Amino acid sequence: MRRGRGRTVLAIVATDRTFERSEVRGDRVWVGRCIHCNARVVVEESGETIATIEHIEPTTHGGTDEVSNLALACARCNQAKGARLDVRRRDDPTLCAVIETLRTRRRERWRDPLY
């Protein structure tokens, strides 16, 4: 894993109230929920995970890498979504609805960083 990615994942975990410390097969991990489907997402203490980083507002439409614009998604959801929304016009109603839904979810899950 790229070192920067691990730090970004941990920053998302620190600001997402669905994530709590847990133990899986004897390892200390963070366990939370996918921003899309609410499936269980596991993140190792190093930030290693099979989950993907989701840009709430896609970078192709002006979204940034600020932690408030990021969430974790299970690999299945993010791969299924892929770039299908990124190619839509910025004012596309479907794109706007998805962005607003994800923004609302992220705000509801927000917590001040744990560290």
Side-chain angles (χ1 to χ4, degrees):
M1 172 193 296
R2 293 185 325 269
R3 188 173 168 163
R5 182 179 188 277
R7 271 186 278 199
T8 300
V9 167
L10 290 175
I12 296 166
V13 166
T15 59
D16 185 331
R17 74 179 66 221
T18 68
F19 282 87
E20 296 180 356
R21 286 196 181 270
S22 188
E23 195 169 298
V24 174
R25 291 185 289 281
D27 294 324
R28 298 284 296 158
V29 296
W30 290 95
V31 178
R33 299 289 170 189
C34 169
I35 192 75
H36 293 288
C37 72
N38 220 26
R40 183 172 178 240
V41 172
V42 177
V43 176
E44 295 178 15
E45 290 201 348
S46 65
E48 185 78 30
T49 183
I50 61 171
T52 59
I53 296 174
E54 174 69 70
H55 284 82
I56 293 166
E57 182 173 352
T59 55
T60 56
H61 294 294
T64 68
D65 289 333
E66 294 293 319
V67 72
S68 61
N69 189 51
L70 303 175
L72 290 179
C74 67
R76 185 186 78 217
C77 282
N78 213 356
Q79 289 170 356
K81 185 185 86 93
R84 69 182 164 82
L85 294 176
D86 295 351
V87 297
R88 292 177 182 252
R89 291 174 32 131
R90 190 178 187 133
D91 62 349
D92 178 82
T94 300
L95 174 65
C96 292
V98 169
I99 290 172
E100 190 52 40
T101 297
L102 293 178
R103 276 189 186 143
T104 299
R105 287 181 189 162
R106 185 65 168 119
R107 276 193 305 269
E108 290 170 351
R109 294 161 65 140
W110 185 265
R111 69 172 162 212
D112 290 331
L114 297 173
Y115 49 88

